[in-house]
Amino acid sequence: MIHQTFYRLPKAKRVLILDSLIAEFTLRPPADARISAVVELAGISRGSFYQYFDGMSDAETAVLYHLGATRYAELAAFIRSGHGDLFSALAQLFRREMERSKDPGFAALLRNLSLPRTFVPAANRAGLPDAPDPLELLSALDLAVFRLPDIRFAMETVDLATGALERLLRSVLEGHIPREDAEKACDCVLDIIRLGALSDPPGRQAHQGEII
């Protein structure tokens, strides 16, 4: 688990530790990551590491929360600039991440992380201090544009879409989908989710993992 001692640290020190973890995860996946390299880069003791995390798997979860929060804030900004248009904002976010993935370090980091960056609602429920407030994003989202019935359904749609696009990006990075076809694939994924959001089929949640 991620211990509360980590979140009681000054924000600058938390970010330093997270940046050190990201640097290590860029070089190798968490299962092979070296605690010795992380603590040396962060300037902390090995004992301090274990005061913050039970192990490297928990450290990876902290990084995923951190990256997910950044992604979530960008999505909110795109929604605001697009006058509440969720699906246009998601397409913009995907294009930005495709551009970032041209950087070998960023691409390596995404390939090495074992889980998608769709932890924002979970982080918020866990009461973590850096977790964004879903209401901040939803205040920018025009629910009426998509005839979404309520905030809960809107959050499910956001989580489903970001998770699907995460898997699409990973498929591109792993070479399963040609980079030049990525935007067209993104549009197809979002069209499927948009149709599902408008029709709200009863079995929607049961099939979330089958979007792509």
Side-chain angles (χ1 to χ4, degrees):
M1 64 180 293
I2 306 171
H3 297 285
Q4 284 301 312
T5 50
F6 177 66
Y7 289 106
R8 294 192 191 107
L9 291 172
K11 185 172 183 178
K13 186 165 185 179
R14 287 202 310 273
V15 170
L16 176 61
I17 294 169
L18 290 166
D19 286 346
S20 301
L21 287 164
I22 287 170
E24 180 66 7
F25 295 159
T26 298
L27 297 176
R28 51 188 62 83
D32 300 324
R34 302 166 305 165
I35 292 176
S36 59
V38 173
V39 300
E40 181 178 355
L41 192 57
I44 62 174
S45 68
R46 193 179 186 93
S48 293
F49 179 92
Y50 285 109
Q51 286 182 344
Y52 307 144
F53 314 108
D54 281 348
M56 199 57 85
S57 175
D58 300 310
E60 180 191 16
T61 299
V63 167
L64 290 167
Y65 279 135
H66 176 65
L67 296 177
T70 301
R71 200 170 182 232
Y72 194 83
E74 290 179 344
L75 178 59
F78 284 137
I79 290 173
R80 288 191 180 90
S81 65
H83 307 290
D85 188 332
L86 170 62
F87 294 101
S88 173
L90 286 163
Q92 284 181 277
L93 181 66
F94 182 77
R95 286 194 293 271
R96 175 172 285 186
E97 297 222 317
M98 282 294 297
E99 189 63 30
R100 283 181 182 148
S101 71
K102 292 178 182 178
D103 172 53
F106 184 75
L109 175 65
L110 294 189
R111 283 195 299 269
N112 286 340
L113 292 175
S114 61
L115 297 171
R117 291 164 294 160
T118 53
F119 280 89
V120 166
N124 186 269
R125 286 194 296 272
L128 302 182
D130 294 329
D133 183 354
L135 294 178
E136 182 181 345
L137 182 145
L138 293 171
S139 67
L141 178 62
D142 186 351
L143 301 184
V145 169
F146 312 105
R147 300 200 297 276
L148 299 178
D150 54 36
I151 287 177
R152 177 194 60 80
F153 192 90
M155 282 306 303
E156 289 174 0
T157 301
V158 169
D159 195 48
L160 171 63
T162 54
L165 294 179
E166 178 82 4
R167 291 190 289 276
L168 173 58
L169 178 62
R170 189 161 304 207
S171 294
V172 172
L173 295 177
E174 292 174 351
H176 303 304
I177 296 175
R179 185 173 281 272
E180 58 270 21
D181 294 338
E183 283 198 31
K184 186 180 295 184
C186 170
D187 290 341
C188 290
V189 168
L190 292 178
D191 282 345
I192 292 170
I193 294 172
R194 181 187 289 109
L195 289 172
L198 292 175
S199 60
D200 187 22
R204 173 179 174 272
Q205 290 201 36
H207 300 287
Q208 284 188 359
E210 301 173 12
I211 292 296
I212 59 172

